[in-house]
């Protein structure tokens, strides 16, 4: 605890986050308070803040249609996972939903207020076309990742479109995720590793 406190109190690190904040603020005021988040939640909190705010920002820029679809559904995934975690762990603070996804925030909010786990499962099923047998983080995430894979593959059917590149990069991303699971899963039950795989 003492070491953690020392790291978080390192003025050089705080200064670095203040520089990052100043660099990103011209894009969006949502990037304010990065150094405070680091003090409170550490690097993981800062990473989540930067990712979530950037996604909300980039969706409103002049993206190529294929890129826009990709980011829209990436926002959907993060919003659904955030909602699931709040339901799973009984968190009563209102989830932070990134603006710009395809799912109406009112629907997400209603599921949270009603603590409706079956409503979340129905939402995922309606998006992906696959039934969620068990409402678990792995099942939800894998279903959503496969859904995005299918959408990008469809956009990549035209060999001259940007969808080909996006589909390829997405496949590389999924493969990297699966390889990391295999590496970290050495010595773990093979069924558990297979369940985590997004392929």
């Amino acid at each position: 605890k003492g070491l953690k406190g020392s790291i978080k109190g390192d003025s050089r690190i705080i200064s670095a986050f203040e520089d990052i904040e100043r660099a990103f603020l011209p894009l969006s005021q949502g990037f304010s308070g990065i150094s405070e988040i680091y003090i409170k939640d550490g690097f993981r909190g800062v990473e989540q803040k930067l990712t979530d705010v950037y996604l909300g920002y980039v969706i409103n820029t002049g993206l190529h249609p294929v890129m826009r679809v990709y980011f829209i559904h990436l926002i959907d995934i993060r919003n659904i996972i955030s909602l699931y975690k709040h339901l799973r762990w009984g968190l009563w603070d209102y989830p932070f939903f990134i603006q710009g996804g395809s799912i109406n925030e009112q629907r997400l909010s209603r599921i949270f207020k009603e603590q409706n786990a079956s409503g979340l499962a129905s939402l995922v099923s309606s998006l992906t076309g696959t039934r969620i047998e068990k409402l678990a983080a792995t099942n939800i995430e894998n279903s959503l990742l496969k859904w995005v894979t299918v959408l990008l593959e469809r956009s990549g059917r035209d060999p001259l479109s940007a969808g080909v590149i996006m589909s390829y990069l997405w496949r590389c991303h999924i493969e990297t995720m699966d390889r990391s699971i295999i590496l970290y899963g050495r010595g773990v039950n093979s069924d558990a590793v297979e369940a985590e795989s997004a392929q």
Side-chain angles (χ1 to χ4, degrees):
K1 184 176 180 180
L3 179 59
K4 184 177 180 181
S6 297
I7 292 174
K8 287 191 173 184
D10 190 326
S11 60
R12 292 170 297 179
I13 297 178
I14 300 299
S15 177
F17 282 123
E18 289 173 347
D19 289 342
I20 293 172
E21 182 177 330
R22 280 192 292 271
F24 280 93
L25 273 175
L27 301 179
S28 169
Q29 288 299 310
F31 288 107
S32 63
I34 292 175
S35 55
E36 287 83 357
I37 290 174
Y38 169 72
I39 293 171
K40 179 184 177 184
D41 299 319
F43 287 108
R44 185 183 294 263
V46 171
E47 179 185 10
Q48 181 172 339
K49 168 80 169 182
L50 289 174
T51 302
D52 290 351
V53 176
Y54 180 75
L55 285 173
Y57 158 76
V58 77
I59 200 67
N60 293 312
T61 60
L63 293 171
H64 184 282
V66 174
M67 291 288 292
R68 181 172 174 77
V69 168
Y70 166 74
F71 278 110
I72 286 173
H73 295 315
L74 202 59
I75 289 171
D76 289 337
I77 290 175
R78 292 188 73 90
N79 284 344
I80 288 173
I81 294 298
S82 176
L83 176 56
Y84 167 77
K85 287 180 178 178
H86 275 70
L87 294 180
R88 173 68 177 82
W89 300 109
L91 304 177
W92 289 100
D93 60 309
Y94 190 77
F96 173 74
F97 295 125
I98 307 170
Q99 301 298 311
S102 69
I103 307 167
N104 190 306
E105 185 177 346
Q106 290 182 340
R107 184 175 184 182
L108 296 169
S109 178
R110 184 168 61 252
I111 291 173
F112 171 69
K113 289 177 180 178
E114 296 175 355
Q115 295 291 290
N116 187 359
S118 62
L120 177 57
S122 297
L123 171 59
V124 175
S125 295
S126 67
L127 278 178
T128 64
T130 58
R131 183 179 178 184
I132 302 296
E133 297 294 339
K134 180 182 178 182
L135 196 64
T138 299
N139 294 343
I140 293 173
E141 188 171 22
N142 285 347
S143 180
L144 292 169
L145 291 176
K146 289 175 182 176
W147 167 59
V148 173
T149 298
V150 170
L151 293 176
L152 289 177
E153 284 179 345
R154 288 175 183 169
S155 70
R157 287 175 181 171
D158 180 354
L160 299 179
S161 73
V164 175
I165 299 173
M166 282 301 301
S167 180
Y168 171 73
L169 292 175
W170 178 255
R171 282 279 181 189
C172 290
H173 170 65
I174 296 297
E175 183 177 348
T176 301
M177 289 176 58
D178 287 344
R179 286 179 182 273
S180 67
I181 290 170
I182 292 171
L183 287 173
Y184 282 111
R186 288 178 177 175
V188 179
N189 182 283
S190 59
D191 291 337
V193 174
E194 183 178 353
E196 291 285 346
S197 174
Q199 291 284 5

